[in-house]
Amino acid sequence: MRNLACVFLVALPFLVPAKARAVPTLTMWGPELEKSLNTMGFDREVSAFEEKYNCKVKRLSMGAGGMDPQKLSTAIAGGMPPDLVRQDRFTVGDWASRDAFQTLDDLIARDQKLPNGIRKNEFYPSTWMEAVYKGHVYAIPDSTDDRALYYNKSLFRAAGLDPDNPPKTWEDLKRLAPLLTKNDKQGDIKQIGFIPNFGNVWLYMYSWQAGGEFMSPDGRKCTLANPYTTESLQFFVDMTNLVGGRVKVDAFQSGFGGNAMDPFLTGKVAMKTDGNWFMDSILRYNPTLDFGVVPAPVPAARLRGEGRYKGQPPYITWSGGFSWVIPVGVSPAQRELAWQFIKFDESLEGQRIRWIAQREGYAKAGRPFLPQMRANRVVNAAIMKEFLPNRPRVLAAMKVFMDMMKVSKFRPVTFVGQRLWDEHVRAMDESLRGMTPHDALMAGQIAVQKELDKAFEREHSPVVPRWAYQALTAIGFGLIALAIGWVLMKMRTQGRNGRAETRAAYLFAAPWIIGFLVFTLGPILMSILLSFCEYDVLHEPRWLALANYRELLSPAGDGPILVKSFYNAGFMSIIGIPLTMMAGLAIALLLNAKVKGMHYYRTAYYLPSIAPVVANAILWLWLLNPQYGIIDHAWGATLTRWFGWAAPNWMADENWSKPAFILMGLWGAGSGMILWLAGLQGIPQHLYEAAELDGAGVWGKFRNVMLPMLSPTIFFLGVMGVIGSLQIFEIAYIMRGAGPLGAPADSTMMPVVLLFQNAFQYFKMGYASALAWILFVVIMIITLFQLKLSQRWVHYGD
């Protein structure tokens, strides 16, 4: 009987149905993967893959897919990466340079002759080359897009223009855009012909149209300031000035909404260069719109094929999109499963399953359906033929987009891609604010070239030896031992009751102390070492000595932007802190009265200070909006009406962005109000009475009694306010809007924002560590200075 039981247990796994056994799980990260109406088709495709390959697919967003490295780089460094990531192709080169993704050359070569193999010649050239870094394929293109000019035929007719003769050249745009622009009685724009950077175009496309490039063919030189890009940036500036200038355009553009309120759909913008994805918005929100789509206008010489454009295509566009990548650290078995999914998703079988389900889901929801363009041109042609809605305008527009993919450009595949993007955006902004296009582009070119040079030079820097980490660990344990020894020596000098109280105090503080020692002390010490290194999380740190500090403090390096960030923080401290403190004291004086129901008033004033920072920032973006914000409306009804003072553009104006932060800070004055109220209620009443007997009036009691007794509160709020100003991040990150970090014109660039940019956009963790320690030293010096001065003016109760 015992033998039969053993045989049954051995045979049990084979008797259980296959579906009941453990199946492999494919973990997938990336945007637009979690279930929703927009991913209904992808859900069906994933289910079909699971059934076909007897596996499970786990889909997570995890903030992956772009340049944000926090989660993905941590997962890779920790040896627990996802099996598959849907990655923006623009970022593939940057990640590949850090050895974050596996090359797919062997898998592509192995399956070339299979029916479902991945073949380079089936993809649009621009999509494939964007996934190649140093001759190796790191990603398989998934979706794609490109740009063309949308124009509103109804607005053309209303302006007396031929709706069947849209602009073909830059010169046409300059002629037609002013004719399609209208102002109200106050001179503000109410309809605009064309905004050079509204939609999705940027300087990249204008530069390529003019024949410019941003990097040398070998990827070692930045060519941002080449004559053709300079010419295109000058066109960008001229075009903006023709339709009203930066200030008016920014004010008009700040009131734009999305989805159904898109200004092109509502007739506020006559022309814009945008991607094929915008067709979905037209079908959904304004299907009766009389519009046309044509290739984006180019220089007239290019259209004629003259000069440097001889032999070049008359029109040009640029494409982007997503791709599939397999991170390093994925096991061979999981890599094979991920590869099978990539092939399934790229096949006509997988795509048909997706779009059939998506069309059904959209039909049930009462929404029009438009399939997404695919990077595989063979599959894309079949999908578009089967699933495009039979609407003449849609068919004509999508034909333009698909034809333009043959002449599409793509952003440079380089490890400085994010920095190049940021500098090209900065050059656009600086040019609109008065700097010459050449000087603005040259400043960006120098900044990018420094990063390139440092990257090629760091290969000669030595890897940090193991003994350095051992020494750091010994220092950490030594500091802990010294702290324990110091406490024990102090306790020896105390009596029995004193020692008991000390033990109780440390016992209550133990959770924080243990947390600090376990989770914080190590990273603090490690950041000291890393501040002297080049480190990107995925590679071993390389010793640079004082190079990071020299770069940060040098006028020829990042010294100017560092000084600007501290200037911005200093402005917030010198102007903002006194105003916030006065507002808090004023509220506290009002709430210190003995009035019935006062606790309700105190609660009401305190509530804004505990609202989430993100919610507050978004609220204030609405309040400060130049088009529909309450504050600008009130300004116009009073100051503009009485004195003719135009309402500011707030977050679009470098002179008003920091005052906007201060205004937002006053909204949270309730947190300081609690401390002021406590201080006021701690002042003995007999001091006021004594002052009255000496003949003091209201001002005398305030100056000679209240302020001296409130000096500890003033000192505390001042110290914490300065530290807080130097650590501003959330509002500067959120309230910049759609602009780059520090926008506009670096007026909101704070030290912590600069730190975040270098650490989590450029992967310069060592550089960011050096910046963190400079910030720490500055805060410590200012705090010690405040402590020293406090001895002269702070009066305590004893």
Side-chain angles (χ1 to χ4, degrees), residues 445-505:
Q445 178 173 305
I446 292 172
V448 175
Q449 191 60 49
K450 285 180 183 177
E451 296 301 320
L452 286 166
D453 294 339
K454 286 190 292 185
F456 293 123
E457 291 170 1
R458 74 170 60 108
E459 298 174 359
H460 307 292
S461 302
V463 174
V464 176
R466 186 173 296 275
W467 62 261
Y469 304 111
Q470 296 170 344
L472 203 64
T473 304
I475 291 172
F477 282 110
L479 290 174
I480 294 172
L482 284 174
I484 294 173
W486 181 82
V487 171
L488 293 175
M489 287 180 62
K490 282 288 186 180
M491 290 179 65
R492 289 184 62 183
T493 63
Q494 297 174 331
R496 178 181 298 178
N497 292 337
R499 286 196 294 271
E501 290 180 358
T502 302
R503 280 195 296 270

Side-chain angles (χ1 to χ4, degrees), residues 539-783:
H539 291 109
E540 291 290 328
R542 290 183 175 271
W543 183 256
L544 298 179
L546 295 173
N548 287 332
Y549 289 96
R550 282 198 300 268
E551 179 70 18
L552 276 166
L553 300 175
S554 168
D558 282 348
I561 188 64
L562 181 63
V563 170
K564 183 68 177 289
S565 70
F566 276 109
Y567 165 79
N568 293 335
F571 184 96
M572 297 290 292
S573 297
I574 295 172
I575 306 298
I577 292 174
L579 286 176
T580 304
M581 290 174 66
M582 286 189 288
L585 178 57
I587 297 170
L589 288 170
L590 291 173
L591 299 181
N592 195 37
K594 295 180 180 179
V595 179
K596 185 177 181 181
M598 182 56 71
H599 55 284
Y600 293 113
Y601 293 104
R602 292 172 181 172
T603 302
Y605 276 101
Y606 183 68
L607 279 177
S609 65
I610 62 173
V613 176
V614 175
N616 274 339
I618 294 174
L619 171 66
W620 276 92
L621 281 174
W622 290 342
L623 293 174
L624 297 171
N625 188 283
Q627 290 289 314
Y628 53 78
I630 296 175
I631 292 177
D632 270 46
H633 180 73
W635 182 300
T638 54
L639 299 179
T640 304
R641 182 178 178 183
W642 297 342
F643 305 105
W645 298 345
N649 280 348
W650 298 108
M651 297 310 302
D653 189 332
E654 66 269 28
N655 297 316
W656 285 95
S657 56
K658 288 187 287 292
F661 285 1
I662 293 172
L663 193 61
M664 179 181 170
L666 296 177
W667 174 255
S671 58
M673 174 269 295
I674 294 294
L675 297 174
W676 287 116
L677 195 57
L680 288 171
Q681 294 183 349
I683 300 175
Q685 188 63 29
H686 67 266
L687 294 180
Y688 291 117
E689 296 171 354
E692 288 180 358
L693 291 174
D694 289 337
V698 174
W699 172 248
K701 288 187 288 184
F702 176 80
R703 185 170 63 88
N704 297 306
V705 177
M706 186 182 295
L707 282 183
M709 295 302 292
L710 288 176
S711 58
T713 304
I714 298 172
F715 172 65
F716 175 79
L717 290 174
V719 170
M720 298 307 295
V722 171
I723 294 174
S725 296
L726 289 167
Q727 294 181 336
I728 289 174
F729 174 72
E730 294 95 335
I731 59 172
Y733 183 82
I734 297 167
M735 293 188 68
R736 75 188 194 282
L741 291 178
D746 291 326
S747 62
T748 62
M749 180 63 76
M750 302 293 175
V752 178
V753 175
L754 186 62
L755 189 156
F756 174 87
Q757 183 181 58
N758 282 281
F760 298 114
Q761 287 190 337
Y762 304 150
F763 291 88
K764 297 162 61 177
M765 295 293 179
Y767 191 83
S769 297
L771 177 55
W773 280 101
I774 290 175
L775 179 60
F776 169 77
V777 170
V778 170
I779 290 176
M780 184 178 66
I781 290 173
I782 293 175
T783 304

Side-chain angles (χ1 to χ4, degrees), residues 283-365:
L283 286 175
R284 182 178 181 185
Y285 300 112
N286 195 352
T288 61
L289 180 69
D290 189 6
F291 73 100
V293 175
V294 293
V298 297
R302 183 183 194 102
L303 195 61
R304 295 191 298 265
E306 298 174 352
R308 64 178 183 267
Y309 303 114
K310 189 175 182 179
Q312 297 293 318
Y315 292 104
I316 205 81
T317 187
W318 70 291
S319 61
F322 282 80
S323 58
W324 293 110
V325 300
I326 302 177
V328 297
V330 175
S331 68
Q334 292 300 106
R335 182 178 188 243
E336 182 63 33
L337 185 61
W339 178 246
Q340 294 303 326
F341 181 85
I342 292 173
K343 292 196 298 180
F344 185 76
D345 182 63
E346 295 293 343
S347 68
L348 182 57
E349 175 193 2
Q351 288 303 303
R352 287 196 76 253
I353 292 171
R354 174 189 292 201
W355 299 119
I356 288 172
Q358 196 75 18
R359 183 169 58 185
E360 292 172 356
Y362 272 49
K364 290 179 181 179

